[in-house]
Amino acid sequence: MRVAEAWRVALDALRANRLRSALTMLGVIIGVASVVLLVAIGTGTKQKVEQQVEGLGSNLLLVVPGRIEVGNAPVVSPLTLKDVDAVTRVVGDPDRVAVTVASGATARAGARSDFTTVQGVLETTPAVFTRSLARGRYLTGTDVDTSRRVAVLGDSVARALFPDRDPLGQQVALAGVRFRVIGVFAPLGQSLGVDRDDEVHVPVTAAQRLWGTQRVDGIAVKAPDRERIDELGERIVAELNRRHPDTEFSAVTQQQILGVLGDILGVLTGVLAAIAGISLLVGGVGVSNIMLVSVRERTREIGLRKAVGARPRDIGVQFLLEAVLLTTIGGLTGMALGVGTAMLVDALSPIPAAITWWSLALAFGVSAVVGIVFGVVPAQRAGRLDPVVALRTE
Amino acid sequence: MTEPAVADRSAGERVPAIEAVDVSRTYQLDGVSVAALRGVSLTVQPGDYLALVGPSGSGKSTLMHLLGGLDRPTGGRLVIGGRDVNALAPPEMATLRNETIGFVFQAFHLLPRTSAVENVALPLVYRGVSARQRRERAAAMLGRVGLGHRLDHRPNQMSGGEQQRVAIARALVTEPTVLLADEPTGNLDSVTGAAVLELLEQLNAESGVALVMVTHDQEVAARAHRRITMRDGVVVADSADPSSAHDRPPSVDHGRPATLVSAPSAEPRSASGSGPGHPSGGSGGAAGATGRLPHDGGTA
Ligand SMILES: Nc1ncnc2c1ncn2[C@@H]1O[C@H](COP(=O)(O)OP(=O)(O)O)[C@@H](O)[C@H]1O
Ligand SMILES: [Mg+2]
């Protein structure tokens, strides 16, 4: 009964001072909304990156020269197709091994040109990286073996060079050498600001000839199962180290990439949320302030309530509830605002945003806690008021 | 809702509703002690009708606050409803007030933006009565004070007299043993005030709730069963004290404002001039040099 009365009185108090309550809530609303929004952006980015890394294909092992560390300069690769053969022997299945030798180049078709990345690859690429074609066909073993000058265009390249024509069968000049278009990739979209459709695949042998090199930049292996992926990586690295004692090699899995990226994005999200949390704190101070005003304004009411039998706790609970109501109503409004903004950002900008239930629960919980923390001092002050003094207050 | 207290009044052995023995109350004001009450002894019996008179600043309100358990004495013994307040923690004091005392203030002290019936029901909230019963009992009580047709009016929609009736209903809805009214007509015009007084006296007679009222109206005081006169924090006359020959006759004051009622001539003074420190507060106290009368606190 007493708690019901406390709720009623607290709600009444907020209603009696609508504008003041709303302004006080504003601090909490902004704080909670920014926490929700920033966590959504952090989470959305992380999810998108994970998707893309996983979209590379499952159980993927990337073998590159040098050590994979942030800040390490890329190493000129000593790998050649002979090394690829050696790795294939270790793996035991040629269909599971893909390579790349990549370089920027201008692609030209008629009057149009597009600067893009030309990748020399094996016919195994679509299977290893799970890529699909929108039109035509991919490279074949024969294309690779015979260094045939055929090309598969990424979606953006196809659009740039052939905006109003079917690219299949057309000629395209890559670094001045003519290739015939045999296929177009299905679009992949943007990833962290990079256009993943801005590439052209040609046989690795043709690419090496184009640039006059024997080099292979990296080898990708699709492991038969997840359990032995690390062991396979070690064997491949050992084989390559044997063949090139002067160079270090690394084999990284998707899990490792995901782990590193996840850590970075996690820290970033945390920092953003903490900055937003400070505004929530400021909102809490505002609540504390307004509660002290509320206690002073209603000193006579407190005295009267005490005179008719309210215990210090009854008064304290009443004011604490008022504070908690302020922050939780503000919190809920802030959540709605944060979710709405996140959805808009996700829909209208390239920044991904994903709402997670835990972030909403956390935001609501935090706003309630802010109410308790910043309401407790004014509430205690109200509860301890001397009824005689309180009744005499003008 | 009537109580059998009327019968109590005639009974020989009565348990006092309130018993104050040599109570004092000293305020600390910026390091200076102000003695608002200096040894007052008073017993309120169930069903009593007591008038408290005396000049402004003589300690009447201070005494009322003590009698109602709103405040604690700094000295002496105070027993309300059989419970020694010195042994009670604040929450227990609150419960004691809720169960045994009803207050009526000069300034009404109704909650704004709250209907009459909800104002009256307020003490029942702190007694844990269900919302439906609260409303029922509050409505019935408003009917008894003649406001059955004003249940959902708010204080700002009512006259002063009506507001004070609501306050009286609120004080009585818990069926307390004592009703403490501190200048209940002080904010009302004389006609309205008279009606409110009549109501209080009627409720006292009907329900047997003891009525302790601070008043400046000597006619009203004369109607009370017992009249207690205070000055400078002590009781200077008590009509119930058979040894008291000092009861001030009502005629002396001619209904003059309380602040001017300091005429020391009305009371015999003992030469001993007891108090070393006069209370600095009230104008009445300053005007009339205090004499501790022989019967002063004599009940102790
Ligand atoms: N809270 C207080 N602090 C200091 N002095 C007080 C306080 N309340 C009352 N007094 C003093 O106590 C004396 C008695 O006051 P009060 O009981 O209000 O008198 P009355 O009701 O008879 O006019 C006065 O001198 C007054 O100034
Ligand atoms: Mg007074």
Side-chain angles (χ1 to χ4, degrees), chain A residues 124-318:
Chain A
T124 50
T125 299
V128 173
F129 288 98
T130 343
R131 294 210 53 179
S132 55
L133 293 186
R135 332 210 29 197
R137 64 167 181 89
Y138 198 67
L139 311 172
T140 61
T142 316
D143 292 334
V144 174
D145 291 343
T146 60
S147 320
R148 202 174 278 160
R149 293 202 301 274
V150 288
V152 178
L153 305 185
D155 186 63
S156 341
V157 182
R159 280 170 201 279
L161 297 182
F162 306 101
D164 41 21
R165 272 192 296 164
D166 183 354
L168 287 189
Q170 304 289 335
Q171 298 288 327
V172 25
L174 300 175
V177 178
R178 285 151 74 100
F179 284 70
R180 187 167 50 89
V181 179
I182 56 168
V184 177
F185 281 115
L188 285 174
Q190 295 259 334
S191 146
L192 300 173
V194 176
D195 183 357
R196 296 182 63 203
D197 299 316
D198 185 16
E199 60 177 9
V200 175
H201 284 202
V202 299
V204 60
T205 44
Q208 286 178 335
R209 187 172 294 175
L210 186 63
W211 296 313
T213 178
Q214 298 290 308
R215 165 174 67 91
V216 168
D217 290 334
I219 303 172
V221 174
K222 189 179 171 76
D225 56 60
R226 184 163 287 207
E227 283 65 44
R228 275 176 294 171
I229 194 166
D230 289 328
E231 187 231 316
L232 182 61
E234 281 164 23
R235 277 166 49 212
I236 292 169
V237 167
E239 171 67 10
L240 291 176
N241 280 337
R242 200 183 57 73
R243 296 171 64 89
H244 301 276
D246 300 338
T247 314
E248 255 187 291
F249 292 92
S250 323
V252 290
T253 62
Q254 278 158 296
Q255 274 64 41
Q256 287 167 325
I257 296 170
L258 278 183
V260 172
L261 286 175
D263 286 353
I264 294 170
L265 288 171
V267 169
L268 220 75
T269 306
V271 169
L272 289 179
I275 291 170
I278 291 172
S279 65
L280 194 53
L281 264 182
V282 174
V285 173
V287 169
S288 206
N289 199 21
I290 220 68
M291 287 311 301
L292 288 173
V293 172
S294 182
V295 169
R296 193 173 313 149
E297 273 179 355
R298 287 152 70 201
T299 301
R300 257 160 52 120
E301 176 190 326
I302 294 167
L304 186 271
R305 285 178 181 274
K306 288 196 153 191
V308 302
R311 299 166 303 181
R313 248 186 58 196
D314 295 322
I315 302 294
V317 165
Q318 172 190 324

Side-chain angles (χ1 to χ4, degrees), chain B residues 14-86:
Chain B
R14 291 184 298 180
V15 183
I18 303 172
E19 194 174 14
V21 181
D22 198 27
V23 294
S24 54
R25 179 65 168 95
T26 305
Y27 292 107
Q28 296 297 329
L29 216 81
D30 303 327
V32 183
S33 296
V34 180
L37 284 184
R38 300 176 297 150
V40 170
S41 296
L42 179 69
T43 302
V44 179
Q45 297 292 354
D48 261 356
Y49 175 11
L50 234 117
L52 205 53
V53 297
S56 179
S58 58
K60 304 182 297 293
S61 293
T62 304
L63 180 59
M64 293 290 267
H65 294 145
L66 288 179
L67 296 180
L70 265 185
D71 195 11
R72 292 160 188 276
T74 44
R77 207 167 80 90
L78 177 62
V79 180
I80 301 172
R83 307 199 63 181
D84 189 331
V85 300
N86 285 330

Side-chain angles (χ1 to χ4, degrees), chain A residues 1-2 5 8-9 12-13 16 298 300-301 303-312 314-315 318 386-388 390-393, chain B residues 25 27 61-62 65 70-71 90-91 94-95 97-98 103 105 107 109 111 113 118 122-123 125-131 134 170:
Chain A
M1 225 60 59
R2 290 166 179 233
E5 168 76 0
R8 205 185 57 72
V9 172
D12 265 7
R298 287 152 70 201
R300 257 160 52 120
E301 176 190 326
L304 186 271
R305 285 178 181 274
K306 288 196 153 191
V308 302
R311 299 166 303 181
D314 295 322
I315 302 294
Q318 172 190 324
D386 178 348
V388 173
L391 281 168
R392 279 196 180 158
T393 311
Chain B
R25 179 65 168 95
Y27 292 107
S61 293
T62 304
H65 294 145
L70 265 185
D71 195 11
T95 306
R97 287 195 293 272
N98 183 263
F103 288 100
F105 305 96
H109 286 313
L111 298 187
R113 304 184 307 277
E118 279 179 272
L122 189 65
V125 166
Y126 297 110
R127 201 181 260 204
V129 176
S130 77
R134 286 204 302 262
R170 178 182 63 196

Side-chain angles (χ1 to χ4, degrees), chain B residues 43-298:
Chain B
T43 302
V44 179
Q45 297 292 354
D48 261 356
Y49 175 11
L50 234 117
L52 205 53
V53 297
S56 179
S58 58
K60 304 182 297 293
S61 293
T62 304
L63 180 59
M64 293 290 267
H65 294 145
L66 288 179
L67 296 180
L70 265 185
D71 195 11
R72 292 160 188 276
T74 44
R77 207 167 80 90
L78 177 62
V79 180
I80 301 172
R83 307 199 63 181
D84 189 331
V85 300
N86 285 330
L88 297 181
E92 296 170 313
M93 292 274 278
T95 306
L96 182 66
R97 287 195 293 272
N98 183 263
E99 286 170 354
T100 57
I101 307 291
F103 288 100
V104 175
F105 305 96
Q106 178 176 352
F108 318 145
H109 286 313
L110 297 181
L111 298 187
R113 304 184 307 277
T114 307
S115 69
V117 71
E118 279 179 272
N119 261 295
V120 173
L122 189 65
L124 298 176
V125 166
Y126 297 110
R127 201 181 260 204
V129 176
S130 77
R132 224 193 45 178
Q133 274 207 28
R134 286 204 302 262
R135 194 178 163 87
E136 266 171 30
R137 286 172 65 175
M141 200 60 229
L142 276 169
R144 283 191 64 188
V145 300
L147 288 178
H149 58 298
R150 290 272 187 274
L151 297 191
D152 295 312
H153 279 58
R154 300 182 173 206
N156 60 0
Q157 298 165 330
M158 289 186 285
S159 71
E162 286 175 326
Q163 290 187 52
Q164 194 61 302
R165 281 166 189 270
V166 173
I168 291 168
R170 178 182 63 196
L172 290 177
V173 77
T174 53
E175 300 176 16
T177 42
V178 182
L179 180 60
L180 298 172
D182 193 345
E183 301 188 37
T185 61
N187 281 10
L188 302 175
D189 63 70
S190 57
V191 177
T192 316
V196 163
L197 274 174
E198 203 175 300
L199 174 66
L200 285 170
E201 288 174 351
Q202 178 199 332
L203 290 165
N204 164 249
E206 280 176 7
S207 71
V209 62
L211 174 62
V212 180
M213 181 160 61
V214 173
T215 181
H216 294 299
D217 188 328
Q218 293 299 334
E219 269 176 53
V220 173
R223 284 212 298 272
H225 306 147
R226 183 175 166 197
R227 185 163 49 132
I228 290 154
T229 312
M230 293 192 65
R231 176 165 301 220
D232 289 341
V234 293
V235 172
V236 292
D238 186 343
S239 67
D241 188 342
S243 69
S244 167
H246 317 296
D247 201 5
R248 189 194 313 206
S251 57
V252 171
D253 292 324
H254 300 296
R256 287 156 68 200
T259 43
L260 302 177
V261 180
S262 56
S265 60
E267 278 129 17
R269 310 163 78 181
S270 80
S272 59
S274 64
H278 290 183
S280 53
S283 56
T290 315
R292 272 205 181 229
L293 298 169
H295 70 271
D296 212 0

